[in-house]
Amino acid sequence: MSLDTARGVYVIAPTPFHDDGRVDDASIDRMTDFFRAAGATGITVLGQMGEAPKLDAAEALAIAARVIRRAGMPVVVGVTAPGFAAMRALAREAMDAGAAGVMIAPPNTLRTDEQIVGYYRQAVEAIGADVPFVIQDYPLTFSVVMTPAVIRRIVQDNASCVMLKHEDWPGLDKISALRGFERDGSMRHISILTGNNALFLDFEMERGADGANTGYCFPDMLVDVVRLSQQGRRDEAHDLFDAHLPLIRYEQQPGPGLAVRKYVMMRRGIIASDTLRKPGGALSAVARSEVDYLLSRIARVDARAKV
Amino acid sequence: MSLDTARGVYVIAPTPFHDDGRVDDASIDRMTDFFRAAGATGITVLGQMGEAPKLDAAEALAIAARVIRRAGMPVVVGVTAPGFAAMRALAREAMDAGAAGVMIAPPNTLRTDEQIVGYYRQAVEAIGADVPFVIQDYPLTFSVVMTPAVIRRIVQDNASCVMLKHEDWPGLDKISALRGFERDGSMRHISILTGNNALFLDFEMERGADGANTGYCFPDMLVDVVRLSQQGRRDEAHDLFDAHLPLIRYEQQPGPGLAVRKYVMMRRGIIASDTLRKPGGALSAVARSEVDYLLSRIARVDARAKV
Amino acid sequence: MSLDTARGVYVIAPTPFHDDGRVDDASIDRMTDFFRAAGATGITVLGQMGEAPKLDAAEALAIAARVIRRAGMPVVVGVTAPGFAAMRALAREAMDAGAAGVMIAPPNTLRTDEQIVGYYRQAVEAIGADVPFVIQDYPLTFSVVMTPAVIRRIVQDNASCVMLKHEDWPGLDKISALRGFERDGSMRHISILTGNNALFLDFEMERGADGANTGYCFPDMLVDVVRLSQQGRRDEAHDLFDAHLPLIRYEQQPGPGLAVRKYVMMRRGIIASDTLRKPGGALSAVARSEVDYLLSRIARVDARAKV
Amino acid sequence: MSLDTARGVYVIAPTPFHDDGRVDDASIDRMTDFFRAAGATGITVLGQMGEAPKLDAAEALAIAARVIRRAGMPVVVGVTAPGFAAMRALAREAMDAGAAGVMIAPPNTLRTDEQIVGYYRQAVEAIGADVPFVIQDYPLTFSVVMTPAVIRRIVQDNASCVMLKHEDWPGLDKISALRGFERDGSMRHISILTGNNALFLDFEMERGADGANTGYCFPDMLVDVVRLSQQGRRDEAHDLFDAHLPLIRYEQQPGPGLAVRKYVMMRRGIIASDTLRKPGGALSAVARSEVDYLLSRIARVDARAKV
């Protein structure tokens, strides 16, 4: 399968650690199995929410290879790096290990349209034009603003660009614009999967997204929302989505959000510990109790939240 | 009443324009009356969401004076300005017109703790130590990050600091920290009202906020959530809040958010037109239909949304 | 004369204050006379280095009108403002008072090419297409990066764009690129005058600049360097420039730089006081002695520095 | 020798590449020998100007080890990394290879005083409290502003902090403030070496700096300026410095600056090629001719520039 026709949910995988900060292989396996059972169509590892910058090179590759071997579905590997030498090294190793493609976020020094387009051109030169890649478009974190026209230029200039991890905010009109480019023939089709913790997944699907590419602690719910939306069951999709929105919003907070995600995944039995590597701390007792309360409210309508 | 004990909802008022961009006085009056009827305890005019930077000096003062005359409750006037001369002029005029206090956001050039503390000291020198002022703490928009310790220094250094418009994100722990400072005696009490379109109002109240200081298109709902929370009716507060959260989230988007707010207020009959001054455009047809859909969903549980 | 053929030195005028912060009209007059005697071909008032954001609206207009009446040469008025209403008001008043044009810097929220081009289009709508305007391109201060192609679009889209205040850094290749656009016929001619305290004036002239648009404390030196360069007397231009470069560099520092400029202008008898309005402090004693030392060194080769 | 009493010039070493982008070991050796012959007292490798982010992990360590073996003087190794795992790995390996210490720049996400202090505390935990480290304070590049009080806290909190690579701009008063802290006993002594391409080295020495920590293409000139200044021969120090200032300024430009540096070092026979790894391009022909002209002008007073 080519990633440019990917649909459904590519889960952004966290990296499970033991309480002492070592990588927890058993939890990686359990988590990978859970994603498959949940109906995910793909997995993305080594993203920001996978704490990729906190891993050393050997750890990063080992995690990617482990998930790839076990997943039974396409795995995208984040290769964002401060320089092209490190990016190339990880990209080639990941592809050799069986990755379906790589994901590249822009460095926060880029400002102009030309700089952004030029960066992706140089990245493709570095990793090789044979490596399928995903654009990560997340201005809130990376401080780089890509217009629809810039994304189109990257897509048209680079045949190996296969997917957009869309997480601009506000971002609904960007999906409409890109799908409009496809309709008017000025841009070939790519897969658009949306992130930003699914905060707008309900309407993103209606605007033309192919699915989700995020790591909300109930990826099984994301799978259902995407499916309901694709089936045209609008009210049901929104009903399910809205039941989770209070927690989605809580988990979407930069900083503590990842701790929330890991805490719920631990409570759900998917990973053994909610430890984050530094920098990045634990949830306060009051924050945990707030998450517990939100889970209890979701559980009234979604049995998965009875944890 | 002194603002440092303010509670309830201080509505952030938009500035209603005619379709051609002129200020719409009749809508200002109708809106002011609506806020009072809705149970607001105060009004804040000339904030970012009041399109203050798009007004000239005469317009700004006229709007403030008009609302002050009619409101029958305390009115806070935003006086954020690129320099102290303009800030002082508007602050003195607003106080002469009967304002209860002024609101000051930091310029986005400030970086260090010292710079932030120093800025508020100079602002107080400029407007006069007799003018009660509100700190606007909104890093997402102003790019200035104030720690709880910095806010404490501003409060302790300036007796005229009476309120915090809290809209940091994530921000729950900041409320807890500031209330902790009050309990340990290291900071005197000020009013903490929360903004950021009420995205976390449910838990902000539980962390110790005195109410809301935002302009969500259903301020009457905010009044109810604040009251329910203050009465300890936790589940009811969350039930009402959660019913609105899909729209709160939609309106909280930077950029189109204000257009959403004005559109709903127009549909509710509060203002005559949803026009924004440039820069700042109209909602697309699809965005309007999305808002309509969200309103229809809210209307199933909150009759106010039958518009 | 039309500004698009302007050459020579348009001095960026500081705003002289009395020691207590009031505007000093007598110093304005003396300074204006000095600029004319020094050989300036134009004056720009109410720029950042004119402390424009620290003035109230009435002060700003009064200063512009006073300089315009006395200058005997074209005067450009800075109208950069947080919103178009205030920009339009000042622009129309300045033109009515006899200004030759206005200068507009972009707000620091702009990121993409489209946003920058769109901003200038809206600004022209606001001030009127009959008002000649100058683009201020100063990324170090305004955080907006304009490529040569973006500047070309602004020039081509707006017939009233007549001049570029070039102060990008590094910026030499930008001048070459813009002059290349003129040669290949893709952009009409505009005046390019360079700022950034003249730190690269020597080579900017050789790359095709028409002169300087900055406020270094020896504008008479700038006039000579521009003239020598235009006469092809390369070594002499560099000799004179290099003699001043240690002080140019010292004055180019953001923050204390303006205090240095005013201090030297006070020592030269051009203005009565080196007071800055807040925020913005006085030079330390050691800094003053460093400037004195630099002046004494310049005085060995340039008699103007014997102050 | 402990780094906290270091004086003189710690040269920031570029990384020499062959024309095809491979690391050039022979040039590394020749460059190392040149630095020693030039009178440097130390060398810093793997900084920003060493293109460290463009190297992979194995290349980085090999370069550090090679210079350390040959230098015959203390070598500081830049270990700035996106995460602590990678930072720790390189720091331990570099120390094992014989480094005198490591250099750490802050990530550009840090804003508040607390965040900066906390980051260095966690970095020390990561690399080990036995590893001497240098603070790199370069807001222009890293967007992190450290007040003198923040630097003092880092110094006082961490016994292994031994040096400040000072390159704030404006920065003279910061040196005075830190030396004042030492005099009043509130901060222990550390070495302060200044960077930012030596743009203010003349006065930095007079404010109390111990020397330079930068890579200007004439490190031998830096050695002389530092010596003259330490001997109290003020005019001679300034005369020599001023002769180089036009080129210092030209090389200090972000972006093309490193290409200028490598070009001159190639012309001087120190390295074989002026190639930069991508991103980062070659000098234009006109830029090269401008550098040639500046060299010819310096050569009139400093024979070293006859290249």
Side-chain angles (χ1 to χ4, degrees), chain C residues 140 169-173 176 198-203 206-207 234-236 238-242 245-247 249-250 252-256 284 286-287 289-291 293-294 297 300, chain D residues 140 169-173 176 198-203 206-207 234-236 238-242 245-247 249-250 252-256 284 286-287 289-291 293-294 297 300:
Chain C
L140 196 64
W169 174 71
L172 295 175
D173 287 346
S176 297
L199 193 67
F200 285 86
L201 180 60
D202 48 350
F203 290 115
E206 301 175 9
R207 293 291 187 112
R234 188 184 202 190
D235 290 346
E236 288 169 88
H238 280 272
D239 287 346
L240 177 56
F241 178 84
D242 287 357
L245 185 54
L247 180 57
R249 161 209 59 161
Y250 202 100
Q252 191 246 356
Q253 297 176 89
S284 65
V286 61
S289 73
E290 289 167 345
V291 174
Y293 179 65
L294 290 172
R297 290 178 60 81
R300 298 177 310 175
Chain D
L140 197 64
W169 175 68
L172 295 175
D173 287 347
S176 297
L199 193 67
F200 284 86
L201 180 61
D202 48 350
F203 289 115
E206 301 175 10
R207 292 291 188 112
R234 187 184 203 189
D235 290 346
E236 289 169 86
H238 280 271
D239 287 345
L240 178 56
F241 178 84
D242 288 357
L245 185 54
L247 181 56
R249 162 209 60 162
Y250 201 100
Q252 191 246 357
Q253 297 177 89
S284 64
V286 60
S289 73
E290 288 167 344
V291 173
Y293 180 65
L294 290 172
R297 289 179 60 81
R300 299 176 310 176

Side-chain angles (χ1 to χ4, degrees), chain D residues 98-141:
Chain D
V102 301
M103 181 168 71
I104 301 172
N108 64 12
T109 48
L110 305 180
R111 302 300 297 265
T112 70
D113 292 4
E114 286 300 331
Q115 288 171 341
I116 300 167
V117 170
Y119 181 80
Y120 277 95
R121 183 174 51 240
Q122 292 189 317
V124 169
E125 288 172 18
I127 63 173
D130 57 320
V131 176
F133 76 92
V134 179
I135 303 169
Q136 185 173 13
D137 179 21
Y138 198 8
L140 197 64
T141 291

Side-chain angles (χ1 to χ4, degrees), chain C residues 16-40:
Chain C
F17 298 111
H18 291 289
D19 290 346
D20 61 5
R22 284 176 302 117
V23 175
D24 176 358
D25 285 336
S27 285
I28 290 177
D29 290 348
R30 197 159 58 242
M31 176 183 75
T32 305
D33 295 345
F34 170 79
F35 290 158
R36 190 176 53 242

